[in-house]
Amino acid sequence: MEPRYLFDAADLMVRYPNGEVALHDVTFKVKAPSFTAIIGPNGSGKSTLLKTALGMMKPMKGYIRVLGYDSQRDKAKIRRLVRYVPQRDRIGLTVPMKVKDIVLMGRLLKKLPPRLASSHDVEVAKTALEQVDMLDMWNHPFPELSGGQRQRVLVARALAGEGEILMLDEPLTGTDIESQDLIVKALSEYHENNEVSIVIVTHDLNPVHTMVENVLLLKGTVEGIGEPCSIMDPEIVARVYGPTARIVEYGGHKYCVMKDLGFDRHD
Ligand SMILES: Nc1ncnc2c1ncn2[C@@H]1O[C@H](COP(=O)(O)OP(=O)(O)OP(=O)(O)O)[C@@H](O)[C@H]1O
Ligand SMILES: [Mg+2]
């Protein structure tokens, strides 16, 4: 049987209306199901790749398919399959929504009106909040949470939703190490216990490298793809992050040392 691919991109080129070429010559495949990290410096096209996969941007050239569906032709189908958490989600910050409303929204938006929460919906939403240790905040106003707590609730919203793929654009940004570990562990467990693929965009491999199966390293194009171990290569890292980035080995682990990111331990 032909393997199923979470992503299958060939010769992909994406340009913004102002002429900025965000991605070029992007060719790669990732088998499904998978837990994949997309990494790369600022402006390397990570968010653009997700947006293109979701049909929000039209390729100038080439294609990207999600589970065999073309990002342009089959975008409605892809949107039903994917639970997407954008990089900057302003959701609920102006409307006084409660934590429970945000998480339930992950289930209700894909339903037909009237969108009423069943007791099952509530149960799933509570379980998801428990996984990121935020169940205590069920009735709390969402805008009054800290940035890191909000990120955790948004991850819970994705966990509570339906669809074979979760795509989270920098869910770890602005969270402390404890929250990062919680989020990554919740996602990893969810991936193991369900037939779902998870894609997480991150600046830093540090919190995810022991959990993810694949890493896609971008800088306008594909600079590396493979197991986390193979990406932790001194040459690749120096090429993408500059000469100040180093890989060092200590106590049987590889670490990526970057000036701006600190230590990145890799087993
Ligand atoms: N709306 C836009 N209009 C024009 N150019 C854009 C737009 N969004 C992004 N770009 C450009 O496209 C390139 C890739 O941006 P993208 O947001 O995909 O990077 P990223 O890897 O997600 O970065 P970050 O780590 O900062 O989130 C950058 O050069 C950026 O300036
Ligand atoms: Mg981004």
Side-chain angles (χ1 to χ4, degrees):
M1 210 173 84
E2 192 40 26
R4 294 178 83 219
Y5 290 108
L6 167 60
F7 290 123
D8 172 4
D11 202 20
L12 181 71
M13 175 173 160
V14 183
R15 207 168 74 178
Y16 281 95
N18 65 357
E20 177 86 28
V21 176
L23 292 169
H24 63 92
D25 302 292
V26 171
T27 301
F28 72 99
K29 284 180 181 175
V30 176
K31 276 189 197 152
S34 124
F35 188 5
T36 294
I38 301 179
I39 65 165
N42 287 137
S44 58
K46 304 179 297 294
S47 299
T48 304
L49 185 73
L50 290 194
K51 287 192 259 175
T52 309
L54 289 165
M56 292 153 70
M57 301 213 43
K58 191 176 172 186
M60 283 284 295
K61 231 173 93 183
Y63 64 81
I64 180 161
R65 296 179 188 143
V66 178
L67 291 181
Y69 296 106
D70 182 83
S71 70
Q72 281 297 302
R73 208 185 50 218
D74 311 315
K75 65 176 97 166
K77 178 78 193 168
I78 293 174
R79 286 314 294 257
R80 277 196 296 275
L81 282 174
V82 177
R83 321 176 202 173
Y84 172 52
V85 181
Q87 187 165 0
R88 281 170 210 91
D89 203 331
R90 303 211 167 276
I91 214 147
L93 285 182
T94 46
V95 194
M97 288 179 103
K98 293 194 169 162
V99 166
K100 61 180 174 189
D101 303 320
I102 298 286
V103 179
L104 282 167
M105 209 164 71
R107 298 191 59 76
L108 303 185
L109 279 181
K110 288 184 183 175
K111 284 189 180 181
L112 293 172
R115 298 189 171 102
L116 300 173
S118 67
S119 58
H120 177 63
D121 291 328
V122 171
E123 201 182 304
V124 174
K126 284 188 170 173
T127 306
L129 276 171
E130 202 162 21
Q131 283 171 303
V132 293
D133 202 18
M134 286 294 289
L135 186 52
D136 292 353
M137 300 286 193
W138 179 253
N139 266 311
H140 204 84
F142 183 74
E144 291 173 21
L145 297 179
S146 74
Q149 290 174 323
R150 260 185 247 140
Q151 292 286 55
R152 273 148 68 178
V153 171
L154 292 175
V155 170
R157 188 185 65 180
L159 291 175
E162 278 169 5
E164 223 182 300
I165 306 168
L166 281 76
M167 290 188 191
L168 307 109
D169 197 343
E170 303 218 20
L172 306 179
T173 300
T175 58
D176 59 20
I177 293 193
E178 206 183 324
S179 286
Q180 293 183 355
D181 285 347
L182 247 155
I183 290 173
V184 174
K185 198 159 157 275
L187 291 173
S188 178
E189 274 171 16
Y190 191 74
H191 167 62
E192 265 161 35
N193 299 329
N194 300 274
E195 276 285 297
V196 294
S197 288
I198 301 183
V199 183
I200 178 169
V201 172
T202 171
H203 271 113
D204 186 359
L205 252 188
N206 180 33
V208 295
H209 66 92
T210 54
M211 306 286 191
V212 296
E213 298 149 354
N214 299 293
V215 177
L216 173 68
L217 175 59
L218 287 180
K219 193 175 179 183
T221 189
V222 179
E223 291 288 350
I225 182 163
E227 291 174 5
C229 230
S230 66
I231 301 301
M232 300 298 277
D233 174 83
E235 244 175 64
I236 298 179
V237 166
R239 189 174 70 230
V240 173
Y241 290 97
T244 53
R246 299 245 186 290
I247 304 279
V248 295
E249 284 198 59
Y250 180 75
H253 298 295
K254 277 187 192 167
Y255 295 79
C256 183
V257 188
M258 290 176 214
K259 232 173 159 181
D260 55 338
L261 294 177
F263 286 90
D264 184 4
R265 183 181 133 177
H266 181 68
D267 291 294

